[in-house]
Amino acid sequence: MIKGRFTLPGETGMEEEIKKLVDLWGVDAIRDSDGTQLSQELIDMGLTVYSTLCLVRADNEWVKRNPDCTQQIVLMTEEYTAKDSELSIDIMATFFADQFKPNTDARDYWQVIDRTTGSETRDWEYDGKNVIIRNAEKYHSYTVSFFAYQIWEPVSMYNHITNNWTTEHELTVDPRQPKARAHILDRLEKWLTAHPKTDVVRFTTFFYCFDLIYNQYGKEKMVNWFGYASCASPYAFKEFEKEYGYALSAEDIADNNRYNTPFKNPSKKYLDWIDFNSRFVSQLAKECVDLVHKHNKKAIMFLGDHWAGTEPYGKYFPNIGLDAVVGAAGDGVTTRMITDIPVKETEARFYPYFFPDIFHEGGDPVGESMPIWIKCRRAMMRKPAARMGYGGYLSLALKFPDFVEHVTEIANQFKAIHQNGANPYKAGFKVAMLNSWGKIKSWQTHQVAHSLWNQRCYSYLGVMEAMAGFPFDIEFIDFEDVKNGRLDEFGVVINMGDAGTAWSGGENWKDSAVVAKIREWVDNGGGFIGVGEPTACDRNGRFFALSDVLGVEKEIGFTASTNKPVITADRNHFITEDAAGIIDYGEGMNMIYPIGNTKVLDINNGSSNLTANTYGKGRSVYLAGLPYSNENARLLLRAIYWSAGREDEMKKYYSSNPDTECHAFPEAGKICVVNNTDKEQDTTVYADGKTMDIKLSPMDSMWI
Amino acid sequence: MIKGRFTLPGETGMEEEIKKLVDLWGVDAIRDSDGTQLSQELIDMGLTVYSTLCLVRADNEWVKRNPDCTQQIVLMTEEYTAKDSELSIDIMATFFADQFKPNTDARDYWQVIDRTTGSETRDWEYDGKNVIIRNAEKYHSYTVSFFAYQIWEPVSMYNHITNNWTTEHELTVDPRQPKARAHILDRLEKWLTAHPKTDVVRFTTFFYCFDLIYNQYGKEKMVNWFGYASCASPYAFKEFEKEYGYALSAEDIADNNRYNTPFKNPSKKYLDWIDFNSRFVSQLAKECVDLVHKHNKKAIMFLGDHWAGTEPYGKYFPNIGLDAVVGAAGDGVTTRMITDIPVKETEARFYPYFFPDIFHEGGDPVGESMPIWIKCRRAMMRKPAARMGYGGYLSLALKFPDFVEHVTEIANQFKAIHQNGANPYKAGFKVAMLNSWGKIKSWQTHQVAHSLWNQRCYSYLGVMEAMAGFPFDIEFIDFEDVKNGRLDEFGVVINMGDAGTAWSGGENWKDSAVVAKIREWVDNGGGFIGVGEPTACDRNGRFFALSDVLGVEKEIGFTASTNKPVITADRNHFITEDAAGIIDYGEGMNMIYPIGNTKVLDINNGSSNLTANTYGKGRSVYLAGLPYSNENARLLLRAIYWSAGREDEMKKYYSSNPDTECHAFPEAGKICVVNNTDKEQDTTVYADGKTMDIKLSPMDSMWI
């Protein structure tokens, strides 16, 4: 095996096995993990040594001396209804007492809200456990939003609970506090001096964790991988007010118990809050990186954990000066989320993690891994990570010889991409994903947390997953981009999501400039693809602001009196040419009906699931949803080429069997035909006008 | 057969047959229909003679002399997008030229709206066909709302087209115009004098038709049985402004092409408009009725056709002084819509109508009729019509001997209700249907037009249909009733509909007084049943304003980060005791999840379809939807008794087999056990603590 590009999780006691893997997998770097240490023998093995470091935990003694520097969070209770003029709310009743401790000194920032009216009352007191509301309005419901200390660092807490660790709970350090900031830099300096053998400092991550809130039973209550609640503290609020000239409140963070999930259109305040924290994080992170560089080590960051404020696609990220980003790759979307980051190098840490949830007797790690690799491979054909790796307990993985062999094959295929492929073939047009966030949330749409299945998400994520491996340059744009005339850069624009969400766009569709710009662009030849409830915003008698372009509208109950066209679906279309049997739209939609001369390709329960429309010189496709599958990816590929009016170009590099794909690298004069299944596949490959019939073994990746 | 309570549609040439039917069906009245005449022989047969009369049509010569008195309507074009600074809209492009003719003299009232911004432009002219908009905003879409004359009376048009009549199209008369009003009364006086044999004048109906708009192909484009668009004219607008102190616009009627469907929460302007027209209609109708009475005839009105403004449950209706209302009964809901009207007498004209659509060779009129009668019978067990009848061409019906026999049985069963039943048993509590309209739209919820199937309607209408035959006093209440303390009159309140519709309540759920009143009432023992998206209005972090009472909430995309409870459904509950197999929720809901200690009885695709909650001393039930079936009616019956906390009372009068029901008449000391199917049924009947096993033949109605 070619040596290089492979980072192995080390584990003391596995020295002999690791020596073998260095050859078998071509390992060139070794790292510790949360819960594992590297022995001196491992460190001296001649491999690049990665050391994991998180500066805001594992520092309990200092935090105990400086408890005011513990990280905080804003929490909001459930709603409780006053059945009398006094209402008592046990504020921690639905939170994990091991994780949070109310900051009772910050009671000026606590907020009691009458949620039946939306107004705040200050007529309350706190008895050390309960907030007691006086003169409550009978049968109104109330909540308390309050600051709490994070007395158990949440990532460590997660691992601790998952693995039944019994060590002391790790506290948190809030680097906003000047003395904590100074301490952290001092600690880093000392750490760097104390670790001369470390080549690469792997920050996991910087300072503030994503939102991870556990309930009274010690189970996950809320997780928002993109959240900023942990950045909040009275101190941060004061600093914010100094900079932005207005004050934030606890409610601004708790946000009706929705914690400003990215599924919502961001408020101006929330965008300011992101900016405020991203700027701070990037500045302090840069100081850390500079220190690492001063010690002649490289500094990389893990995409996840304490990554709040790093915003890899945000404007401050490049300032950090990282040497690389490593992230957990569980599918094509998360792979591209990593590999598209504007940084020198990226590394994909593939799932599955070597933890006992998968690697136990009777487990099937190969079965877990294969579909993940197949998805990640598609993404890396477009934009490869420079390096690959795994995480967890190596000893667990080595108990599965078939898994060892499987990883050998993955490493081979991974390295072959770097040997053979560079600058993959791109179609002659770019594709834009249009939503309210645009670039800053590139590859981060429709997700609650990395690669996890969620209702009303998977039906959209299938589009993203398919896009991750398509031969299109893809960009995430927002409504300002539309208004600033950027549409002309693209051949196709995709807008998808549930009505009202930031992914669909919500209120942005009230902006007549946006609507007019897109109409004009499609009229002049653009392709517009809408999925789910695209352009949805009830206004002036329309629900889909671009129903005319899309050729479909949704009945939301106010035009039941208006007759809908009687339709029969006709699957005879370029888009559905490879679609056999029932097309899976996931959760799908209802009450979608065609308008104008739209061609309805598929229909269910009277609702149009798939339509194709012509608008001037342009085209538009509507899809009710699209969970990921090989068949659906093919359908989307066809929909994109069709909407762009470039059907003729689709077969430039193409594989007839939808379970396979043909990736092309014109500069190298090569194509790579992949089998995206665990079964043998036959296919006819098209490349530059030639065709050939080939047979692929399971998970095969054939360079021609 | 007992003679009486039966109105037969007469037909010249059928004299002998009719004589037989007088005995066979116990006919005591005969009437003409649209398209049929009564011969002198029929008139002299000794039966009560009903004569159909509509004063705003069949008066072409007068209208031709007074074309300004033709009825008008507000129409709104489709949206057209300006691709240049000039946009031409052919205003009649999507309307039926035989039905409408633009009122070009009323151009001051026409409105051109930029629907991309919502603003009006006056920069346009009309060339006799097109509205040409100058200085249009490029890629904005525009509509024209305009007055048009109704040059073909729509009910006549419908019949004309349906039956391929070739007679002259009937024009319309607008009685708002003083000269038309005088003419109409004069015509009525003459008509009354000319029809000495007429006993009953059957107005079909008064002056303004419900909204019935045909498209350019002569097909139905829009139908709103509850609409008021036909009342509009420049003259009416001027009168309105005088009375209400503000002007209406065409847009106020066209209403974004939604024509103020009752599915929308009514605006203040629209409520004024209803009031304005109802008052006018009731006043003039009263003059007509008074004239009829002066001629010693009775005056009855048909519920339908030109009934706009009669509002049978409105405050002006009783002033009209009608002797009876006759309506088309197609199911239990339309039956109760007729029989609950506060008027001396009601008559049910049963479907099917004797028209060739059903009564043709190979047709199955009995198969059509039986489920209708079974539904209507349930309703009449609660509130019978005084009379029954049919409509259409008798000669067609008599070609089907089995249908003649079937009607004999219906007539027998109908008359038996009057012989045996009066003051049916009522449960010890009343049920309220809560929506934005309340009383005025009693039995008129979730409907586009009478008994017609519609998407997003049938899943709610099942509840209404079931209610029509239940032993509960039922009232339709609005949110003012809630605030005015009327809840205490009821044992159970039902709120149902899609989010945002007037049936669910929409913005009314922002009213904290409403929310608090209902919470208090349930807490003190009330029962609250929510169907579909009850109490839905996104506000302060909730979607269901009463999610705490209901015990369920709906995920609308902003709390995907918040973990939902892991649930398994448990059908072991009083409510589901008779439910075998899969329960049909119709179109149903998705993303409904339980909160608190709600018991989930049924679940599909992760969404809770049926739940039961306890809230203080009260209870609440959630249902995702409930199309009508015998099984679903039983489920709802159980849900009502359970939510009222009166399970013990359910079997006071009860039939174990859900395909059968037991109606009780304590004053008469009788029960009536009915078979609601076309198959033989066995059941155990419960009555006052006794039980008995009985067998029922198809459609049986057994008095015990």
Side-chain angles (χ1 to χ4, degrees), chain B residues 147-414:
Chain B
F147 274 108
Y149 288 112
Q150 300 206 47
I151 56 171
W152 196 356
E153 188 280 308
V155 171
S156 171
M157 174 187 77
Y158 171 84
N159 289 331
H160 204 278
I161 291 173
T162 305
N163 296 301
N164 302 311
W165 294 341
T166 54
T167 51
E168 188 185 16
H169 297 180
E170 292 188 6
L171 299 169
T172 55
V173 183
D174 182 0
R176 272 261 174 215
Q177 306 265 9
K179 65 177 172 179
R181 179 181 178 132
H183 166 70
I184 275 177
L185 290 168
D186 180 53
R187 183 181 166 207
L188 175 58
E189 178 80 51
K190 285 179 183 144
W191 187 95
L192 290 166
T193 306
H195 290 77
K197 296 280 188 174
T198 294
D199 302 299
V200 178
V201 180
R202 187 180 189 270
F203 287 107
T204 62
T205 316
F206 288 110
F207 315 118
Y208 300 105
C209 191
F210 61 88
D211 300 350
L212 183 64
I213 298 174
Y214 273 36
N215 66 17
Q216 67 270 38
Y217 309 112
K219 302 285 182 195
E220 187 182 287
K221 177 184 174 72
M222 197 276 273
V223 56
N224 173 10
W225 203 29
F226 310 97
Y228 281 83
S230 288
C231 301
S233 67
Y235 185 85
F237 275 21
K238 283 185 196 118
E239 293 291 304
F240 181 93
E241 188 172 358
K242 273 186 223 160
E243 285 190 38
Y244 291 82
Y246 69 91
L248 290 176
S249 67
E251 267 297 301
D252 290 329
I253 306 300
D255 177 35
N256 289 312
N257 238 330
R258 292 171 179 179
Y259 292 94
N260 296 291
T261 152
F263 286 68
K264 289 182 59 189
N265 275 348
S267 64
K268 170 72 171 57
K269 280 183 181 177
Y270 188 57
L271 289 173
D272 285 348
W273 178 241
I274 291 179
D275 188 77
F276 172 73
N277 288 295
S278 299
R279 200 149 26 83
F280 171 78
V281 166
S282 72
Q283 285 162 357
L284 183 54
K286 178 177 166 38
E287 288 188 57
C288 294
V289 169
D290 286 350
L291 265 185
V292 173
H293 286 164
K294 202 183 77 181
H295 284 259
N296 294 314
K297 301 180 195 302
K298 287 191 173 178
I300 72 173
M301 135 183 168
F302 177 67
L303 180 95
D305 294 358
H306 294 71
W307 72 314
T310 61
E311 288 294 355
Y313 294 94
K315 61 184 171 189
Y316 301 115
F317 177 80
N319 300 344
I320 301 176
L322 288 162
D323 296 293
V325 171
V326 55
D331 52 25
V333 171
T334 43
T335 300
R336 289 293 293 270
M337 191 193 304
I338 300 159
T339 62
D340 276 16
I341 292 173
V343 68
K344 295 170 208 154
E345 217 175 71
T346 60
E347 176 172 331
R349 196 215 73 208
F350 293 126
Y351 279 102
Y353 209 75
F354 303 164
F355 260 6
D357 53 346
I358 305 288
F359 292 84
H360 56 82
E361 212 175 292
D364 179 20
V366 173
E368 281 285 327
S369 171
M370 193 184 302
I372 293 171
W373 166 243
I374 284 173
K375 286 181 188 169
C376 296
R377 184 177 64 184
R378 289 184 74 243
M380 289 203 281
M381 289 286 173
R382 304 308 310 164
K383 192 79 184 280
R387 303 183 53 81
M388 63 172 283
Y390 286 92
Y393 299 108
L394 185 62
S395 55
L396 289 177
L398 297 186
K399 288 180 187 161
F400 294 83
D402 60 336
F403 182 73
V404 172
E405 193 181 324
H406 166 75
V407 172
T408 309
E409 174 61 19
I410 287 176
N412 258 322
Q413 293 191 3
F414 176 79

Side-chain angles (χ1 to χ4, degrees), chain A residues 83-102:
Chain A
K83 296 193 174 179
D84 215 325
S85 61
E86 186 175 298
L87 174 67
S88 178
I89 297 179
D90 173 359
I91 61 171
M92 282 293 291
T94 58
F95 296 106
F96 190 29
D98 283 4
Q99 187 182 9
F100 304 115
K101 188 179 126 199

Side-chain angles (χ1 to χ4, degrees), chain B residues 384-536:
Chain B
R387 303 183 53 81
M388 63 172 283
Y390 286 92
Y393 299 108
L394 185 62
S395 55
L396 289 177
L398 297 186
K399 288 180 187 161
F400 294 83
D402 60 336
F403 182 73
V404 172
E405 193 181 324
H406 166 75
V407 172
T408 309
E409 174 61 19
I410 287 176
N412 258 322
Q413 293 191 3
F414 176 79
K415 293 176 188 184
I417 295 172
H418 283 283
Q419 278 184 287
N420 294 296
N423 300 325
Y425 165 74
K426 293 168 186 174
F429 58 94
K430 293 204 299 183
V431 177
M433 307 299 305
L434 172 61
N435 62 52
S436 299
W437 289 97
K439 186 182 171 196
I440 198 170
K441 297 290 178 198
S442 293
W443 299 103
Q444 297 168 32
T445 69
H446 305 88
Q447 286 185 75
V448 169
H450 49 90
S451 313
L452 295 184
W453 185 95
N454 274 84
Q455 281 191 312
R456 300 307 311 155
C457 295
Y458 81 94
S459 302
Y460 298 115
L461 269 174
V463 171
M464 296 307 310
E465 186 61 31
M467 291 302 300
F470 280 164
F472 306 113
D473 261 8
I474 176 169
E475 281 197 54
F476 294 77
I477 64 170
D478 62 25
F479 294 90
E480 286 304 308
D481 292 326
V482 170
K483 290 197 281 185
N484 292 337
R486 289 199 56 205
L487 287 176
D488 289 338
E489 300 173 27
F490 303 98
V492 173
V493 170
I494 300 177
N495 174 246
M496 60 177 189
D498 281 354
T501 63
W503 316 129
S504 173
E507 301 277 304
N508 285 301
W509 292 109
K510 289 192 177 170
D511 190 333
S512 56
V514 167
V515 170
K517 285 270 187 191
I518 298 179
R519 280 196 188 126
E520 180 171 17
W521 171 78
V522 179
D523 192 35
N524 289 323
F528 190 82
I529 298 180
V531 187
E533 292 174 323
T535 82

Side-chain angles (χ1 to χ4, degrees), chain A residues 511-517 519-520 548 615, chain B residues 80-89 112-121 123 132-143:
Chain A
D511 190 333
S512 55
V514 167
V515 170
K517 285 270 186 191
R519 279 196 188 125
E520 180 170 18
D548 51 343
Y615 185 88
Chain B
Y80 297 90
T81 299
K83 297 192 175 181
D84 215 325
S85 61
E86 186 173 299
L87 175 67
S88 178
I89 297 178
V112 176
I113 307 279
D114 175 345
R115 304 213 80 86
T116 308
T117 62
S119 60
E120 184 176 356
T121 174
D123 193 1
I132 296 143
I133 303 162
R134 313 286 183 203
N135 298 305
E137 294 280 342
K138 276 182 77 175
Y139 292 100
H140 287 210
S141 63
Y142 291 84
T143 57

